[in-house]
Amino acid sequence: MDFIKGLWKNRKLVFQLGKNDFRNRFASTSLGAIWGFAQPFVFMLTYVIVFQYILETGSNGNYPYVVWFLPGMAMWMYCSDAILTASNSIRNYSYLVKKVVFPVDIIPIISLTSSSFIGMFLILIAIIASSIYGFFPNLLNVFYIIFCAVCFIIALTRFTSALTTLVPDFSQLLNIMMQLFMWFTPIVWNLDMLNVNMVKIFKAFPFTYLVEGLRQAFMENSTIITDNNYMYTIIFWVVTILLYMWGNSIFRKNKKDFADVL
C-alpha cells in the first residue's frame, strides 16, 4: 500500500518526468519524438507485409490478417518496451537514486509512462486499421486489457528493476527472455495450431491473456476474458497479485543498497 500511496502522491511528477523521458530518447535527432512513433509503426507494417503477402499466412477466421495481427502485436510491443525500459530505469536514473529525498519507488513508473506514449499510439493504429476493415472494438474490453497490462508490468518490474540494479547482467538475460516470450506467445502464430490441452496451458500465461484479450476485443466470439467461466482471468490476476507481492518485497528490502551499487 505504501507504494500505491507514494505513486498517487507523486502522480504529477511521474507524468512530467515520463514525458521528459520520452522526449530525451530522441533528443539528438532532427525529427525528435516522431522517431518514437515511426519505428514501431514501420516494424508492425513490415510484419503485416511479410506474413500476409509474402508468406500468405491466414488469420484463421472470417476477418483480415491485419485485424487479427495488429492488436496482438501492438500489445506485445507495449509490454516488451515497458518491461525492458522500466527494468533498467533505476540504473538510467542513478543520479536520482543518490538524492535521498527522491522517492526511488516511482522511477520504474516513469519509464512505464514514457513507454505508454508509444504503446497507446500503436493500439490506436490497430483500432483505426481494424475499423477501416469494418471491425470495431469493444472499447470496454480494450480499456480493461490496457489496465491489466499496466498492472502486470508494474508487478513484474518491481522485481526486475531491483534485480537489474543489483545484478547488471540480469538486463542481458531479460532481453533474451523477452525474445523467447515473444515466440512462445501467440502473436504471429495462432493458438488453434495446438492441441486442446496445450491451448489451456498457453492461455494461462499472462502475456497470452494480454495479447489475446486485446485481439479478441475486435472479434464477435467469446474472449479469453470470459472463457471457461472467467478461469483465465482469475489465473491472470492471481499471478499478477502474487508477482507484485513478491517483487515489492524484494524491492523494499534492497532499495537501501541501490545507491551503493550505482
Side-chain angles (χ1 to χ4, degrees):
M1 290 300 294
D2 291 338
F3 167 71
I4 297 175
K5 290 179 181 177
L7 182 58
W8 177 255
K9 179 181 178 181
N10 295 283
R11 62 191 185 279
K12 293 183 179 179
L13 177 62
V14 168
F15 184 73
Q16 185 59 49
L17 291 177
K19 287 197 301 182
N20 294 340
D21 182 276
F22 177 68
R23 291 170 182 164
N24 291 337
R25 290 192 195 186
F26 313 97
S28 60
T29 63
S30 300
L31 296 179
I34 293 177
W35 287 116
F37 300 108
Q39 290 173 355
F41 174 74
V42 172
F43 180 79
M44 289 173 60
L45 183 62
T46 302
Y47 262 86
V48 170
I49 294 173
V50 170
F51 282 93
Q52 181 172 1
Y53 297 105
I54 298 178
L55 299 180
E56 297 183 347
T57 302
S59 62
N60 192 34
N62 298 321
Y63 34 84
Y65 183 79
V66 171
V67 178
W68 178 86
F69 173 77
L70 286 185
M73 179 54 82
M75 175 53 67
W76 171 256
M77 292 182 69
Y78 172 45
C79 290
S80 178
D81 182 61
I83 289 170
L84 292 175
T85 55
S87 297
N88 290 283
S89 60
I90 296 178
R91 285 198 162 271
N92 293 336
Y93 281 94
S94 58
Y95 62 93
L96 291 179
V97 177
K98 296 174 183 178
K99 294 181 181 295
V100 180
V101 296
F102 192 86
V104 177
D105 295 73
I106 70 171
I107 292 179
I109 311 302
I110 294 172
S111 294
L112 170 58
T113 303
S114 174
S115 297
S116 294
F117 290 109
I118 299 175
M120 295 307 105
F121 168 75
L122 295 177
I123 292 174
L124 180 61
I125 291 297
I127 292 175
I128 293 173
S130 299
S131 298
I132 291 174
Y133 282 90
F135 291 83
F136 301 96
N138 181 327
L139 291 180
L140 184 61
N141 281 11
V142 171
F143 291 134
Y144 167 73
I145 288 297
I146 292 174
F147 174 74
C148 288
V150 171
C151 290
F152 178 74
I153 293 168
I154 291 175
L156 179 61
T157 54
R158 289 295 282 172
F159 165 70
T160 57
S161 61
L163 191 55
T164 300
T165 304
L166 299 172
V167 186
D169 286 353
F170 181 74
S171 174
Q172 302 303 320
L173 177 60
L174 184 61
N175 275 282
I176 295 173
M177 292 172 62
M178 291 306 295
Q179 291 179 32
L180 292 175
F181 285 143
M182 175 183 172
W183 293 107
F184 278 95
T185 302
I187 303 168
V188 297
W189 55 273
N190 202 301
L191 279 173
D192 290 341
M193 297 177 178
L194 307 175
N195 62 50
V196 176
N197 291 329
M198 289 299 294
V199 168
K200 291 180 179 179
I201 294 173
F202 273 79
K203 279 187 175 182
F205 295 162
F207 287 125
T208 301
Y209 183 84
L210 297 173
V211 167
E212 285 292 307
L214 185 62
R215 172 180 290 153
Q216 293 171 357
F218 295 81
M219 315 303 173
E220 297 180 357
N221 300 328
S222 62
T223 71
I224 194 172
I225 300 171
T226 59
D227 199 9
N228 280 10
N229 295 317
Y230 296 89
M231 180 180 73
Y232 299 111
T233 294
I234 295 172
I235 292 174
F236 173 83
W237 283 110
V238 168
V239 170
T240 299
I241 292 171
L242 291 177
L243 186 60
Y244 170 78
M245 293 172 63
W246 179 51
N248 191 52
S249 174
I250 292 175
F251 193 100
R252 292 180 61 185
K253 288 179 180 178
N254 292 281
K255 69 178 180 178
K256 64 181 182 299
D257 299 322
F258 290 168
D260 296 332
V261 299
L262 294 175

